[in-house]
């Protein structure tokens, strides 16, 4: 694997963590929302990552490079929070309101993890850039 492939890997990792940060931010922003039915209630969303192996042939030489791909974003299947509040304007006929299945503490931990992963990918790209620059200086 050449040093240039590392930029693809780190870049795809940063892109994937950016999606993770955005979905986590969306979950936190909607954590306190209320709905009148299960169908209208916000459900926590999480990205699904996949390690992707891309094979390219260059003449007779075959090289492999890995990247991170966001396969999709799925909604959580955790049960929604059902609260009895007959005086609430969004209460259903039985007096219940529905709240998202978002755990803010878990989301904050996920946000910290995604942020650190993003920073690590930036550091990998910076270290690779530094190595390439030092290699070019050797030829002078």
């Amino acid at each position: 694997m050449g040093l240039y492939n590392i930029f693809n890997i780190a870049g795809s990792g940063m892109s994937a963590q950016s999606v993770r940060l955005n979905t986590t931010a969306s979950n936190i922003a909607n954590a306190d929302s209320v709905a009148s039915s299960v169908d209208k209630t916000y459900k926590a969303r999480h990205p699904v990552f996949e390690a992707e192996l891309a094979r390219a042939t260059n003449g007779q030489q075959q090289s492999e490079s890995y990247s991170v791909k966001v396969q999709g974003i799925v909604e959580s299947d955790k049960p929604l929070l059902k609260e009895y509040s007959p005086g609430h304007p969004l209460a259903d006929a039985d007096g219940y309101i529905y709240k998202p299945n978002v755990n803010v503490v878990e989301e904050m931990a996920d946000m910290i993890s995604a942020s650190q992963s993003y920073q690590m990918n930036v550091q990998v790209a910076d270290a690779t850039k530094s190595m390439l620059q030092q290699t070019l200086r050797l030829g002078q």
Side-chain angles (χ1 to χ4, degrees):
M1 175 187 314
L3 287 177
Y4 292 109
N5 289 338
I6 295 172
F7 288 117
N8 292 335
I9 296 167
S12 69
M14 285 187 284
S15 177
Q17 294 306 324
S18 178
V19 169
R20 185 174 166 203
L21 282 167
N22 286 334
T23 55
T24 302
S26 177
N27 290 341
I28 291 172
N30 289 291
D32 291 328
S33 64
V34 177
S36 59
S37 70
V38 174
D39 297 336
K40 295 180 183 178
T41 306
Y42 180 86
K43 295 171 185 70
R45 293 173 173 89
H46 302 286
V48 177
F49 298 145
E50 169 183 46
E52 184 179 78
L53 174 63
R55 295 181 185 261
T57 56
N58 185 7
Q60 293 182 344
Q61 196 175 29
Q62 188 171 1
S63 64
E64 296 180 356
S65 68
Y66 294 91
S67 63
V68 180
K69 179 182 176 185
V70 178
Q71 189 176 29
I73 297 176
V74 297
E75 288 185 343
S76 174
D77 58 355
K78 289 182 183 177
L80 300 173
L81 303 173
K82 185 177 177 181
E83 183 180 303
Y84 184 70
S85 181
H88 196 283
L90 291 176
D92 63 7
D94 298 327
Y96 288 98
I97 56 172
Y98 300 89
K99 295 183 177 182
N101 55 359
V102 176
N103 183 333
V104 177
V105 175
E106 287 178 8
E107 295 298 328
M108 289 301 294
D110 199 31
M111 184 174 279
I112 291 168
S113 173
S115 176
Q116 289 176 344
S117 294
Y118 187 92
Q119 290 173 353
M120 292 300 287
N121 281 304
V122 169
Q123 289 176 352
V124 166
D126 284 344
T128 305
K129 177 183 166 191
S130 175
M131 284 189 272
L132 284 171
Q133 287 175 339
Q134 289 175 6
T135 302
L136 290 173
R137 282 190 209 118
L138 288 175
Q140 293 179 350

